[in-house]
Amino acid sequence: MNQLQAFATFSQSGEHVYRTSTYIQWGTSPLSLGSCLLLNPGSATLFRERPAPNHSIMGQITLDPTMQQLVKLVTEIYQTQSLDGRFTIYNLFALQNPRSSEAIPAFEKLVESGVATIEEQLIPTQELQQHPWILLGWGCLTKASWKSLPLLKQAWLQQIAASGIPFFGKKCSNGKDYYHPCPQLYATRDAILRDLVNEHALSVLKRDKATFLQ
């Protein structure tokens, strides 16, 4: 396998740190191998530098457990091919916090206070169209008191639909959300990996069938 690295852009505003872009790189090609949409940035950090207040900085980052699981997913999907390209990690919102139970209320407060908006969390359709597919995996955690997060999910889904790229994921029992690709319970990670590889294959078949019928 080609040399594996990960890069991200961080910024800091007040007490909050944001990770605004992230990708895993195989080899040197800028071409997309795929993408995913998770909840918010987790524990991955820059090797050396730190963002100064009101400034952004890009650099190489450590691979956290979620990224390591995504590496396995991409490797399984392209198992017969030599990997040379990048896998982009998007998040519903850019506020960094490894604990989703803390990150979501913090995001809700930022929107409520007007510091953040739903629109600024979205990616342009032109950028999404650069990817062959996108995995949805923002998790199953929900609360009735959360108002902005459901609106944000819907806005992201509309943006993905407008882009026309294939999307897939393992749906939660509520039929609306999607399991995170890296469960906290280590023993279940291989199982969900197999499920996601199968879901990807089904999404490709669906896309090919739609193309054939056009």
Side-chain angles (χ1 to χ4, degrees):
M1 181 170 60
N2 284 327
Q3 183 180 7
L4 184 66
Q5 296 176 301
F7 299 89
T9 301
F10 291 83
S11 64
Q12 184 170 349
S13 178
E15 62 181 14
H16 298 300
V17 174
Y18 300 85
R19 197 175 83 204
T20 54
S21 68
T22 312
Y23 66 89
I24 303 171
Q25 179 74 50
W26 284 263
T28 59
S29 173
L31 294 178
S32 176
L33 297 171
S35 60
C36 68
L37 176 59
L38 307 182
L39 179 66
N40 72 295
S43 60
T45 58
L46 288 163
F47 277 173
R48 299 180 184 86
E49 307 93 336
R50 294 293 180 271
N54 301 315
H55 288 78
S56 62
I57 186 171
M58 181 178 184
Q60 189 174 355
I61 59 173
T62 58
L63 270 73
D64 61 21
T66 294
M67 292 182 185
Q68 293 171 14
Q69 179 80 338
L70 291 169
V71 167
K72 292 181 180 179
L73 175 66
V74 174
T75 303
E76 284 294 319
I77 288 175
Y78 295 105
Q79 56 184 306
T80 61
Q81 302 178 37
S82 176
L83 293 175
D84 188 16
R86 61 183 56 172
F87 180 85
T88 300
I89 300 173
Y90 296 116
N91 292 282
L92 289 176
F93 57 91
L95 178 64
Q96 185 176 32
N97 191 318
R99 297 179 61 86
S100 57
S101 59
E102 297 175 359
I104 297 171
F107 171 71
E108 290 278 336
K109 289 181 180 179
L110 289 173
V111 175
E112 184 179 353
S113 64
V115 174
T117 66
I118 289 176
E119 290 73 22
E120 68 187 6
Q121 313 302 318
L122 304 176
I123 299 298
T125 56
Q126 294 90 338
E127 179 175 336
L128 289 172
Q129 288 168 343
Q130 297 174 10
H131 304 298
W133 47 266
I134 186 167
L135 160 69
L136 306 183
W138 56 65
C140 302
L141 192 61
T142 60
K143 284 188 178 181
S145 60
W146 295 339
K147 305 301 181 184
S148 297
L149 188 63
L151 295 175
L152 179 58
K153 292 174 183 177
Q154 187 60 36
W156 264 103
L157 289 173
Q158 290 173 349
Q159 200 79 340
I160 292 170
S163 74
I165 65 171
F167 65 91
F168 66 97
K170 182 177 181 180
K171 281 197 172 182
C172 304
S173 58
N174 62 17
K176 297 179 180 179
D177 296 307
Y178 294 85
Y179 281 100
H180 193 278
C182 187
Q184 290 186 347
L185 185 60
Y186 189 86
T188 63
R189 292 181 184 178
D190 286 346
I192 196 167
L193 187 67
R194 290 192 297 270
D195 289 341
L196 292 177
V197 170
N198 290 335
E199 290 292 337
H200 169 265
L202 290 173
S203 72
V204 170
L205 287 174
K206 183 178 179 180
R207 178 199 61 192
D208 292 346
K209 181 178 179 181
T211 302
F212 176 78
L213 292 176
Q214 286 179 355

